[in-house]
Amino acid sequence: MAAWKLLSTGMGFLQSSLPFCRQVRGYYVDWRMVRDVKRRQMAFEYADTRLRINAIRKNTILPKELQEIADKEIAALPRDSCPVRIRNRCVMTSRPRGVKRRWRLSRIVFRHLADHNQMSGIQRSMW
Amino acid sequence: MQVRSGLIHTQNARLPSTKCKERESLASGIWAPCTARPLGTSSISFSGNKESSTSLSEGKENEPEKNEANAEVNTDGQNAEVNEVTENSQQTLTSQLETEPVVKPEDSKQVEKTKSGKESLLELLGAMKVEVTTARKIRPSKTSRMSERPDQEPMESAHSMFQHAAAEGSPQQHIIADMKVGRRPNGRSNARPTSQIRFDDDGKGYTQERGITGELDGVRKRKSPFTSKRLNIFTAGVEQDTLSDLGPTLWDIDLANHIVQTTNQMPRNGFEEMIQWTKEGKLWQYPINNEAGLEEEASVPFHEHVFLEKHLDESFPRQGPVRHFMELVITGLAKNHHLTVQQKKEHIDWFRDYFRQKDDVLKEAEA
């Protein structure tokens, strides 16, 4: 489901299944951004399961056999479902580094927009 | 038709609107009687019978109104165009007047004859390039005449009806009598061709110039249909429950879907785009509500959130590490104010399933 959604919104993918529909097109900046989106969606799907299995694992009450089994189970989940693999990329340029979390923008884009007065409440600082 | 060529050169492509107030210096004044009559009682043909038709229209408007001066200007203007004698127009007028049922032709005829000389002189002096304002003269008098005619006709045709109604004891017996013929302000009745010489009757040496402001004021002051007295002719229809169904049928839904898919409903500007996003849920609703998606949760009592042991009682062992673990889980869920009660129940159910699957492992571990 998520993969299908991705394909429909992927870079330049045409979808003209119905005659009177417009082509569904969405543009992510590059494929790394597409993969990051995929990982986020999968992480959302498996979030509850991972939380519960981890609650069994990180435990001193339950028997260790159970915890070992829980370890194996969580390792068997798809690799993209873990939230650790998500990278906060810049929304505009997909830059992996130098991204301010509040605006989800890389430093270069942030500076560009702020200089052109597009960022509300942002002002050049001097003191 | 050569005589008319002098006028045709002033014709423009645009036709006057029915509510045109501005001065139009067009020979489209000839067109005006054909276009500016919403309730045309006589069909006026363009091509052939322009003169007779306009004289017919003028003949009609002559009866109730006393705008003979204007009518004379019209008729004599037409005569001057076609280089016919005024008697011709008067003959046509009289012939038309005879056909009218409710008419006082004698007065208008006499007034025509007395004023014809002066007005014909004016027209001849004005020459061919006459800014014929027949539009203005015909229309206000026509519309005011229209207000009177429907009063008279229903009098004749529906009078019997109202007699019956009166016999039956209808509440409003004097509807027609109550219809007051208001004098519409003929705002542009004094509009003359600018080249025309105006006579001041009292020898002042000047005439009073009135602009269009008075007419524009009159437009606003006129009573709207909602301010005047109710006539109570029609009874208010009883509200019918035409669609007392269970709601939109499947066909309606299908039609709506089809319409949505075929029409192009792209947002035209940023505001519409933001509206679309808000409907989809991508954009928050302003002013910001911290409990935006949780309206139902507000009605859930707190004890359902906090006291969750009742879910623990089935199929969980009463003692042992599993029970200990689950009590910890429940304590944690009770303190969590971000989850709904349904989500907490699902949590506990998942653990129940999981421990059921691992029953043998647990027994091995204990043993």
Side-chain angles (χ1 to χ4, degrees):
Chain A
M1 185 264 293
W4 175 80
K5 238 191 256 176
L6 249 173
L7 279 179
S8 69
T9 56
M11 292 178 7
F13 271 45
L14 303 181
Q15 192 165 26
S16 52
S17 55
L18 299 166
F20 45 84
C21 270
R22 280 164 278 119
Q23 290 169 350
V24 177
R25 267 197 190 138
Y27 291 106
Y28 288 112
V29 178
D30 54 4
W31 284 100
R32 285 176 290 175
M33 196 190 242
V34 174
R35 294 199 299 261
D36 192 62
V37 169
K38 210 194 307 184
R39 281 181 204 123
R40 284 170 191 267
Q41 287 168 348
M42 282 203 79
F44 180 79
E45 272 184 55
Y46 286 89
D48 290 338
T49 320
R50 287 191 91 94
L51 173 72
R52 290 156 188 165
I53 296 177
N54 267 331
I56 294 174
R57 280 174 69 228
K58 314 287 179 179
N59 217 337
T60 50
I61 306 167
L62 293 175
K64 285 182 187 170
E65 293 86 1
L66 199 59
Q67 288 172 2
E68 284 159 20
I69 294 173
D71 287 340
K72 288 174 195 164
E73 274 187 10
I74 204 168
L77 289 177
R79 201 165 270 194
D80 274 351
S81 65
C82 60
V84 188
R85 288 169 70 94
I86 293 171
R87 180 79 197 186
N88 289 329
R89 288 180 163 271
C90 169
V91 163
M92 303 293 288
T93 54
S94 176
R95 196 164 194 270
R97 295 195 174 95
V99 181
K100 290 307 281 180
R101 201 176 189 138
R102 181 175 172 183
W103 297 277
R104 304 179 185 176
L105 292 174
S106 82
R107 55 181 179 83
I108 305 160
V109 179
F110 174 82
R111 212 179 99 100
H112 180 270
L113 292 176
D115 286 343
H116 288 77
N117 211 14
Q118 309 292 317
M119 304 290 278
S120 170
I122 302 296
Q123 177 186 352
R124 277 186 163 266
S125 71
M126 64 180 86
W127 69 94
Chain B
M1 299 306 270
Q2 282 189 349
V3 177
R4 301 215 179 177
S5 62
L7 279 171
I8 290 171
H9 77 272
T10 59
Q11 262 183 359
N12 275 351
R14 60 184 171 97
L15 291 173
S17 63
T18 56
K19 290 187 188 169
C20 57
K21 304 283 183 193
E22 62 272 9
R23 182 175 286 254
E24 293 192 5
S25 59
L26 307 172
S28 58
I30 298 174
W31 297 60
C34 312
T35 57
R37 299 191 82 184
L39 310 167
T41 55
S42 71
S43 63
I44 298 172
S45 58
F46 265 135
S47 53
N49 306 325
K50 265 189 197 171
E51 186 192 55
S52 60
S53 60
T54 47
S55 58
L56 166 70
S57 65
E58 289 144 19
K60 276 188 184 172
E61 67 190 44
N62 262 341
E63 312 144 4
E65 296 298 319
K66 303 302 175 189
N67 289 335
E68 288 89 355
N70 304 329
E72 283 311 306
V73 171
N74 294 340
T75 56
D76 295 319
Q78 303 294 333
N79 295 334
E81 296 161 9
V82 202
N83 274 337
E84 286 182 15
V85 195
T86 54
E87 292 91 16
N88 193 4
S89 74
Q90 288 180 4
Q91 281 174 8
T92 56
L93 261 175
T94 54
S95 64
Q96 297 303 330
L97 289 171
E98 284 164 2
T99 62
E100 293 301 330
V102 185
V103 151
K104 294 169 197 162
E106 297 83 10
D107 301 335
S108 51
K109 256 196 261 182
Q110 285 173 358
V111 179
E112 284 168 21
K113 281 177 186 162
T114 53
K115 286 204 175 179
S116 63
K118 178 175 168 185
E119 298 301 326
S120 63
L121 187 66
L122 279 174
E123 289 310 309
L124 287 173
L125 286 174
M128 304 304 279
K129 193 185 165 192
V130 168
E131 297 174 0
V132 179
T133 55
T134 53
R136 211 92 345 74
K137 286 163 206 153
I138 289 179
R139 207 182 2 89
S141 50
K142 220 188 301 174
T143 49
S144 51
R145 195 194 55 75
M146 285 299 178
S147 68
E148 230 187 340
R149 283 216 85 195
D151 297 348
Q152 297 167 8
E153 284 175 355
M155 276 291 284
E156 297 149 5
S157 60
H159 189 61
S160 56
M161 182 180 84
F162 279 104
Q163 277 179 340
H164 293 314
E168 290 164 359
S170 68
Q172 291 285 337
Q173 301 189 9
H174 302 289
I175 296 174
I176 302 299
D178 286 343
M179 278 188 192
K180 182 180 147 193
V181 173
R183 280 205 74 177
R184 301 286 181 93
N186 303 314
R188 307 307 301 271
S189 59
N190 290 331
R192 295 261 185 280
T194 52
S195 60
Q196 197 182 58
I197 300 168
R198 298 192 204 199
F199 295 104
D200 54 324
D201 296 318
D202 52 355
K204 285 188 292 185
Y206 55 88
T207 52
Q208 199 170 3
E209 282 291 331
R210 293 181 197 90
I212 60 169
T213 50
E215 184 188 335
L216 291 175
D217 285 339
V219 172
R220 265 179 250 111
K221 283 176 197 162
R222 231 170 257 166
K223 287 184 197 169
S224 73
F226 301 107
T227 56
S228 48
K229 193 170 63 171
R230 286 189 82 97
L231 294 174
N232 290 337
I233 296 177
F234 304 105
T235 56
V238 179
E239 300 242 339
Q240 300 163 5
D241 287 329
T242 53
L243 279 177
S244 58
D245 306 334
L246 304 168
T249 64
L250 202 61
W251 292 113
D252 298 337
I253 295 168
D254 180 49
L255 178 69
N257 218 11
H258 191 71
I259 290 170
V260 163
Q261 277 178 349
T262 47
T263 56
N264 184 12
Q265 291 176 340
M266 295 286 289
R268 292 175 295 179
N269 48 37
F271 290 117
E272 293 195 3
E273 194 183 35
M274 281 198 277
I275 290 169
Q276 198 174 348
W277 285 345
T278 310
K279 283 182 191 166
E280 288 174 19
K282 288 181 186 173
L283 202 60
W284 284 351
Q285 296 195 350
Y286 292 93
I288 296 288
N289 178 22
N290 275 329
E291 287 135 20
L294 302 170
E295 285 88 10
E296 305 157 1
E297 278 302 301
S299 57
V300 175
F302 76 100
H303 59 84
E304 290 187 24
H305 278 271
V306 178
F307 303 115
L308 297 163
E309 287 98 3
K310 56 184 179 185
H311 302 288
L312 261 193
D313 293 338
E314 322 128 9
S315 72
F316 278 114
R318 295 281 176 97
Q319 285 159 8
V322 176
R323 183 78 185 196
H324 189 26
F325 174 76
M326 286 313 294
E327 281 176 1
L328 288 174
V329 167
I330 278 177
T331 325
L333 283 178
K335 291 184 186 177
N336 189 342
H337 31 252
H338 298 293
L339 297 179
T340 63
V341 177
Q342 190 60 36
Q343 286 170 328
K344 292 179 186 178
K345 266 191 223 169
E346 283 170 10
H347 229 83
I348 298 173
D349 292 342
W350 186 91
F351 274 117
R352 189 182 295 127
D353 290 338
Y354 186 80
F355 286 126
R356 264 200 203 138
Q357 286 172 13
K358 311 292 185 234
D359 253 345
D360 40 351
V361 178
L362 286 169
K363 279 174 191 168
E364 270 185 45
E366 287 172 27

